[in-house]
Amino acid sequence: LQIICEAPYEPFADWDNPKTHKVDRNNKQEYQSFKDAFAQKMYARARDLLIAAGAASDKLPLRLEDTAVAEMGTPLTMERYLATEHGAVYALDHNMIRFGAKTFLTQLRPDSTLLPGLYFTGQDVSTCGLAGAMLGGYMCAGKILGNPNPSALVQEVKKSQA
């Protein structure tokens, strides 16, 4: 069983060291206790929902401690390992400034104007998620190959395979 849910940064902010993005040693036990309590509540709620949906209660461990493996990540975990602001899963902020016509076409691009020959790809070149990452890949490949139109790039690949 894998449980994934959104969690706001604010409840965890007091434990964040903005310089290192690590929890200070002095506060580590308090942070771990908070994480454990959060994980317990998440598991209990998920178990209740599974049982309500028809899962056999005797097949589900009663407590989180009774599971074979249990790990808990927080926005601080994401911030530390993904280097994203406040543990955002999608890195760049999703707001109207980012997706405005001028910004989207001039700032979110696969090539670097500061360092020629450096290309970017992935979701932060276009939009978030898997589809955005794929579109970012198309945009980057198109830029490198001199064809900025993703549809035309797909047509070129089809022609080369025919």
Side-chain angles (χ1 to χ4, degrees), residues 63-119:
R63 302 172 312 149
L64 184 61
E65 296 84 23
D66 298 331
T67 60
V69 176
E71 290 187 32
M72 169 67 176
T74 70
L76 300 185
T77 309
M78 301 301 253
E79 183 177 55
R80 180 173 179 202
Y81 291 106
L82 298 179
T84 58
E85 185 177 355
H86 294 169
V89 177
Y90 291 124
L92 293 180
D93 195 9
H94 291 49
N95 58 37
M96 293 308 293
I97 295 170
R98 175 182 175 188
F99 293 107
K102 288 182 181 179
T103 306
F104 188 77
L105 296 174
T106 60
Q107 292 182 8
L108 297 174
R109 47 195 282 162
D111 60 323
S112 170
T113 56
L114 299 175
L115 188 58
L118 176 64
Y119 295 90

Side-chain angles (χ1 to χ4, degrees), residues 31-50:
Y31 172 69
Q32 190 61 49
S33 295
F34 185 82
K35 276 178 49 174
D36 292 346
F38 193 81
Q40 293 286 350
K41 287 182 181 186
M42 283 179 42
Y43 178 75
R45 180 70 178 132
R47 186 178 189 279
D48 290 345
L49 289 170
L50 287 168

Side-chain angles (χ1 to χ4, degrees), residues 9 15 62 64 72 74 146 158:
Y9 170 80
W15 293 292
L62 184 59
L64 184 61
M72 169 67 176
T74 70
K158 285 183 179 180

Side-chain angles (χ1 to χ4, degrees), residues 145-160:
L145 297 173
N147 190 347
N149 181 343
S151 297
L153 185 62
V154 171
Q155 294 304 321
E156 283 184 31
V157 170
K158 285 183 179 180
K159 285 179 189 177
S160 71

Side-chain angles (χ1 to χ4, degrees), residues 110-144:
D111 60 323
S112 170
T113 56
L114 299 175
L115 188 58
L118 176 64
Y119 295 90
F120 302 103
T121 188
Q123 68 182 7
D124 290 335
V125 171
S126 59
T127 61
C128 64
L130 179 61
M134 289 172 39
L135 181 58
Y138 278 127
M139 291 170 71
C140 183
K143 191 68 174 180
I144 292 169

